[in-house]
Amino acid sequence: HLATSLPLPSERDHLRPRIDLIVFMIDIKSKYSLKNVEASLAHVDASFFLGKVCFLVTGVGRMNYCSVEMNAVWKLGEVYGSPVLFCELELEGIRVATAQRLLRMLQICAGHVPGVSALSFGSLMRNSVDD
Amino acid sequence: MDETVAEYIRRTVLKIPRDEIKSMLQKWGFLSEKQLQTINFHQIKENVSQDVVQLCEANSADIKQAAVLDIIYNHIYPNKRVWSVYQMNKTGEETEIFDLTDFKKKFKRQLQSALKNVTISFREYEDNAIWIRIAWGTPYKKPNQYKTSYVVYHSQTPYVFISASVLKSNLPLLCQALVLASNYHDIREMELRSHSLNSLKDIVFKRYSQNFQTYHPRPLQERNVAPESTDVRIIQENRNEKERIQRVNREVFGDGPQPKLEFAQYKLETMFKSDPKMDVLDKKEPFRCLVKFYSPHLLESLKALAPAGIADAPLSPLLTCIPQKARNYFKIREKKGLFPGSFVSP
């Protein structure tokens, strides 16, 4: 399900399945996209932040057009206790690899991987970054 | 042949892209087909231009013929210049039949009586467009062939497109000559400027696709917008909003390509509205500010703003009124009276 911001339109509530993972996409070229994500975070139920939220920063192949403070992005990940991933959508290889990572995360969050919970995976990701 | 003419022809040929030189010389018609066949158009441009100059020498070219080649070049590549649009007015209903010879005679006479040294050349094209090339001199100096003004006049319309060049002081004289030669009463500048001559024509002749006001408050049921992705596993949560934006955009901009403008300029002479506690300006006078939008294709980028999520739809009418009002230079002043606000001056 793609959305431009949160909250989601209520008229489609009855058509929506359970949400297992929320990926917030921040375009490094657009300050507006960071603001939009920050505003949308306020509408997310606290339970999602136990491993079911992740930030995806796109456009990292073009750092010369960077409009977003990287510190702000790291801070966001820290404050909300969620992992920050980076990718460049214009390169097919990276796009595919990122999609596979997200899919794997989604499988864990949906409970399809025995022995690994969203929370344990989330803390694993966080700890590896701090190292 | 005059050395200055030879140099001028050489420089004009050098401006032409190599693959186009032959066809442009053919359009010019000054050199015969046999002569053209003696030129090797595959050598470097420097040599091609030398060959052309030699042949022109053989035919004793003068500045008048060289000027025609320049007109042909500018007619094919008008976008290298900046064009301003002017509108002529006549009071009264007389519709006189346009007489081309009379126009040319009067125009030449006007300019030549004021400035003895001017080179004036005319060329007519199929769409009733008269192209006029003017090289300006002074009573004491020969015309400078490199500082030329161009005028494109569509005789069936009151519109004139002028590419003035650096010698702005000659503009009033040029305008006066146009008015008198075409039997109008006056001329005014329309505050509409661009590199793209065809787009300017599209705007004033209303040849671009215009939006039609729809009086249906509810959207039509048929889905004209092609689905963004054919994969049924991707669900757009904000599809309704996206479609509203597309609809509003379509209403404002129409379906077809937009005329090509490179900038829009807004001169603000409005009061600065701030928090009274901030007290930024002691004096209550208008805050002068100039806002300029640049783009390789301004109207298309404005059209793309709302669908890209960068701006809300509908856009400010100050931006979207540009083709309808046929202007891209605006002065915005305070509206005087009971309701403070701003209005666009005519």
Side-chain angles (χ1 to χ4, degrees), chain B residues 29-91:
Chain B
F30 179 67
L31 300 174
S32 71
E33 194 57 43
K34 217 162 71 155
Q35 283 175 310
L36 287 179
Q37 275 167 18
T38 65
I39 304 177
N40 172 11
F41 290 100
H42 297 295
Q43 53 185 335
I44 58 169
K45 275 212 300 196
E46 190 64 55
N47 295 346
V48 175
S49 64
Q50 298 284 14
D51 289 353
V52 171
V53 168
Q54 273 176 4
L55 289 173
C56 290
E57 182 111 43
N59 289 15
S60 313
D62 66 16
I63 193 58
K64 284 201 184 307
Q65 274 109 9
V68 172
L69 181 61
D70 189 43
I71 296 188
I72 294 173
Y73 172 78
N74 278 284
H75 178 256
I76 297 179
Y77 298 103
N79 300 345
K80 299 223 183 279
R81 298 181 147 248
V82 177
W83 299 88
S84 300
V85 189
Y86 291 73
Q87 185 177 18
M88 297 193 285
N89 291 314
K90 62 168 113 206
T91 55

Side-chain angles (χ1 to χ4, degrees), chain B residues 104-113 120 122:
Chain B
K104 294 204 285 202
K105 203 169 68 177
K106 283 193 185 152
F107 185 81
K108 266 188 135 136
R109 198 168 56 205
Q110 270 293 306
L111 284 188
Q112 281 167 344
S113 65
I120 305 171
F122 298 89

Side-chain angles (χ1 to χ4, degrees), chain A residues 67-80:
Chain A
S67 262
V68 165
E69 290 274 318
M70 286 316 297
N71 281 338
V73 174
W74 288 123
K75 189 103 189 290
L76 208 59
E78 225 177 82
V79 165
Y80 288 94

Side-chain angles (χ1 to χ4, degrees), chain A residues 10-40:
Chain A
S10 54
E11 61 250 20
R12 299 185 59 93
D13 277 345
H14 59 290
L15 296 167
R16 226 173 276 127
R18 184 189 73 203
I19 296 175
D20 290 313
L21 175 66
I22 305 179
V23 180
F24 288 96
M25 294 179 68
I26 300 170
D27 184 356
I28 221 167
K29 302 189 289 295
S30 164
K31 276 200 179 80
Y32 172 75
S33 85
L34 180 62
K35 275 206 175 71
N36 189 22
V37 164
E38 284 169 344
S40 300

Side-chain angles (χ1 to χ4, degrees), chain A residues 82-113:
Chain A
S82 300
V84 182
L85 300 182
F86 296 88
C87 84
E88 174 50 72
L89 293 175
E90 290 180 31
L91 296 173
E92 195 188 334
I94 300 182
R95 200 169 65 225
V96 169
T98 309
Q100 285 170 338
R101 283 176 87 177
L102 289 173
L103 199 56
R104 196 70 182 135
M105 280 177 71
L106 180 59
Q107 281 175 325
I108 294 169
C109 293
H112 291 189
V113 179

Side-chain angles (χ1 to χ4, degrees), chain B residues 1-182:
Chain B
M1 185 167 76
D2 194 335
E3 221 175 71
T4 52
V5 175
E7 181 61 14
Y8 184 70
I9 293 178
R10 190 185 75 85
R11 289 214 203 169
T12 307
V13 173
L14 280 177
K15 282 199 294 194
I16 308 171
R18 196 172 63 171
D19 299 333
E20 304 291 320
I21 298 178
K22 183 166 186 192
S23 63
M24 222 177 275
L25 291 175
Q26 282 169 330
K27 280 198 181 79
W28 188 31
F30 179 67
L31 300 174
S32 71
E33 194 57 43
K34 217 162 71 155
Q35 283 175 310
L36 287 179
Q37 275 167 18
T38 65
I39 304 177
N40 172 11
F41 290 100
H42 297 295
Q43 53 185 335
I44 58 169
K45 275 212 300 196
E46 190 64 55
N47 295 346
V48 175
S49 64
Q50 298 284 14
D51 289 353
V52 171
V53 168
Q54 273 176 4
L55 289 173
C56 290
E57 182 111 43
N59 289 15
S60 313
D62 66 16
I63 193 58
K64 284 201 184 307
Q65 274 109 9
V68 172
L69 181 61
D70 189 43
I71 296 188
I72 294 173
Y73 172 78
N74 278 284
H75 178 256
I76 297 179
Y77 298 103
N79 300 345
K80 299 223 183 279
R81 298 181 147 248
V82 177
W83 299 88
S84 300
V85 189
Y86 291 73
Q87 185 177 18
M88 297 193 285
N89 291 314
K90 62 168 113 206
T91 55
E93 292 297 321
E94 338 100 48
T95 41
E96 290 157 20
I97 301 173
F98 181 75
D99 184 340
L100 182 62
T101 332
D102 189 51
F103 172 80
K104 294 204 285 202
K105 203 169 68 177
K106 283 193 185 152
F107 185 81
K108 266 188 135 136
R109 198 168 56 205
Q110 270 293 306
L111 284 188
Q112 281 167 344
S113 65
L115 281 177
K116 277 171 207 47
N117 286 316
V118 270
T119 313
I120 305 171
S121 318
F122 298 89
R123 194 165 170 90
E124 297 84 52
Y125 286 91
E126 337 65 52
D127 52 352
N128 282 321
I130 303 165
W131 278 64
I132 313 174
R133 173 187 181 278
I134 304 127
W136 303 95
T138 69
Y140 311 104
K141 279 200 323 217
K142 270 175 60 169
N144 183 344
Q145 299 300 333
Y146 299 94
K147 296 228 163 89
T148 50
S149 298
Y150 269 87
V151 175
V152 180
Y153 173 43
H154 283 250
S155 52
Q156 304 304 314
T157 77
Y159 296 106
V160 185
F161 305 88
I162 301 182
S163 172
S165 89
V166 284
L167 297 172
K168 295 255 160 63
S169 53
N170 290 313
L171 206 50
L173 182 60
L174 178 58
C175 289
Q176 192 184 35
L178 279 167
V179 166
L180 287 169
S182 56

